[in-house]
Amino acid sequence: MPVLNESAYLQHAVESVLAQDLDVPAELVLALGPSTDGTTELARALADGDDRIRLVDNPAAHIPVGLNAAIRASRYPTIIRVDAHSELSPGYAARALRTLERTGAANVGGVMHAEGRTPFQKAVARLYNSPVGLGGGAYHGGARESEAESAYLGVMRRDVLDEVGLFDETIRRGEDWELNLRIRQAGHLVWFDPDLSVTYWPRESWLRLARQFRATGAWRGELVRRFGRRNGLRFFAPPALVLIVAVAIVVGVLQLTGVLAGVSSLIAAAIYLPLVAYALLVLAVALAPGGGGIRQRLWTLLVLPTMHLSWGLGFLAGVLRGARDTVDASRLGTRNTPLP
């Protein structure tokens, strides 16, 4: 488990791991980044209270670096990746081990089920669980057990990781997709089991959400630069929306200044049609059954475009110039750096 500034979530995440009922030896390795909110002190207290918890340092604070440090420090033949912002469902680990054995897969993942506490977080969670929000990947709501492109978190065979290499430490986001690509290219199976469920707690504020999605989009753009058509078509929808918005703004300015008029203005106005359709989609999602109270529905009107546009803007930047040193700064105050 890579950990950075997770004082509000770490204890529940750790408890969900330690509560897993297994008939084989297990340990929890925490890779500690340079937290500034008391997370490190909390992790040390938890480790002092349970000898199954081991600590390793992750001074770079990057997720793949921390994951690799924890994997290298681990002692058992199966690696279960967990997240400090999530909680494993009861029986998760035992079922995952059975699925690995039954399918012969190298990596098994399940459903990321987002939950929220505040109206804002509930709105985000609902969109995480919807194909409209995150594009319909199996682990956001798939119902059929099947071979998969990637796996959420992942329960992996250590010998396969040793064969293909660990996480690529030059990739700050999307490192799981890239690892699963190498696993599949080596002839191994990645498997989705919908009966495996992990509760995920989204970001708690609009600004943190926008930062998270911009960084994630930038690294998907970087992955497109590196791996091209191996990326699914769904990843190109948000940047297409950004480009349509940009063109619509230019057309609007030209119309207001009189540069476009008459028939040419009417033809150019066609660019507004997909935006009207998108606005109606956002409104329909906000008003749909299960949308919660009025505050949650109002947040949905803002959150859904924020997710798509932030991701799309990041993607275009990542494709055009590479992700470079972009990191997810959504837990780090105002600075775009993993260090305090």
Side-chain angles (χ1 to χ4, degrees):
M1 180 191 294
V3 179
L4 178 67
N5 287 338
E6 293 287 8
S7 61
Y9 295 91
L10 179 61
Q11 183 160 350
H12 291 294
V14 168
E15 288 173 350
S16 78
V17 172
L18 298 181
Q20 297 294 308
D21 186 13
L22 291 167
D23 56 6
V24 294
E27 63 188 355
L28 172 60
V29 186
L30 304 181
L32 301 179
S35 297
T36 58
D37 67 345
T39 293
T40 299
E41 292 75 15
L42 174 59
R44 288 172 178 160
L46 293 171
D48 288 341
D50 195 310
D51 59 11
R52 291 174 294 176
I53 301 175
R54 302 172 60 211
L55 307 178
V56 297
D57 289 328
N58 177 23
H62 295 305
I63 290 175
V65 176
L67 286 169
N68 286 347
I71 291 170
R72 292 187 183 105
S74 65
R75 297 173 288 186
Y76 298 117
T78 305
I79 303 297
I80 301 181
R81 177 179 173 177
V82 290
D83 189 276
H85 228 61
S86 62
E87 297 170 23
L88 303 184
S89 60
Y92 175 93
R95 179 176 177 87
L97 292 176
R98 291 195 299 270
T99 302
L100 274 178
E101 182 66 24
R102 173 171 55 85
T103 63
N107 190 9
V108 169
V111 175
M112 182 186 75
H113 182 72
E115 294 280 358
R117 297 188 177 102
T118 66
F120 172 83
Q121 200 177 38
K122 289 178 180 178
V124 177
R126 179 168 171 261
L127 295 172
Y128 261 83
N129 297 330
S130 165
V132 177
L134 289 184
Y139 57 80
H140 293 302
R144 185 175 63 87
E145 188 173 14
S146 64
E147 184 176 351
E149 175 186 21
S150 188
Y152 175 57
L153 298 182
V155 180
M156 298 164 274
R157 297 183 187 274
R158 176 64 176 270
D159 58 347
V160 173
L161 292 181
D162 291 338
E163 174 191 342
V164 304
L166 303 183
F167 290 93
D168 185 337
E169 296 184 2
T170 69
I171 299 175
R172 306 307 186 203
R173 304 286 293 179
E175 72 287 338
D176 49 351
W177 180 89
E178 188 276 336
L179 174 62
N180 282 291
L181 175 63
R182 280 186 280 127
I183 289 173
R184 290 185 288 109
Q185 288 176 332
H188 300 290
L189 183 66
V190 178
W191 194 257
F192 170 70
D193 183 350
D195 288 330
L196 295 173
S197 179
V198 179
T199 298
Y200 173 79
W201 299 97
R203 299 300 185 268
E204 306 88 345
S205 73
W206 177 83
L207 183 59
R208 290 176 183 270
L209 181 75
R211 287 176 182 162
Q212 178 192 22
F213 271 72
R214 186 191 68 81
T216 304
W219 279 103
R220 177 53 59 178
E222 174 69 30
L223 292 175
V224 167
R225 286 170 64 95
R226 297 190 189 190
F227 302 105
R229 292 175 61 86
R230 294 186 183 93
N231 293 267
L233 288 176
R234 70 180 186 273
F235 296 124
F236 295 87
L241 175 63
V242 171
L243 293 176
I244 291 171
V245 169
V247 173
I249 291 173
V250 172
V251 169
V253 170
L254 294 177
Q255 288 173 328
L256 289 173
T257 57
V259 176
L260 281 177
V263 175
S264 61
S265 176
L266 184 62
I267 294 173
I271 193 65
Y272 300 133
L273 295 178
L275 295 183
V276 171
Y278 180 74
L280 292 175
L281 173 64
V282 172
L283 185 61
V285 171
L287 296 178
I294 184 64
R295 291 179 62 196
Q296 182 178 330
R297 293 178 185 275
L298 290 174
W299 273 121
T300 299
L301 294 173
L302 178 62
V303 165
L304 186 55
T306 295
M307 292 167 66
H308 291 159
L309 293 174
S310 296
W311 201 98
L313 284 168
F315 179 93
L316 291 173
V319 166
L320 292 174
R321 65 178 183 84
R324 299 183 181 177
D325 60 351
T326 301
V327 298
D328 177 6
S330 59
R331 299 188 184 118
L332 302 168
T334 58
R335 300 177 62 189
N336 186 32
T337 170
L339 300 177

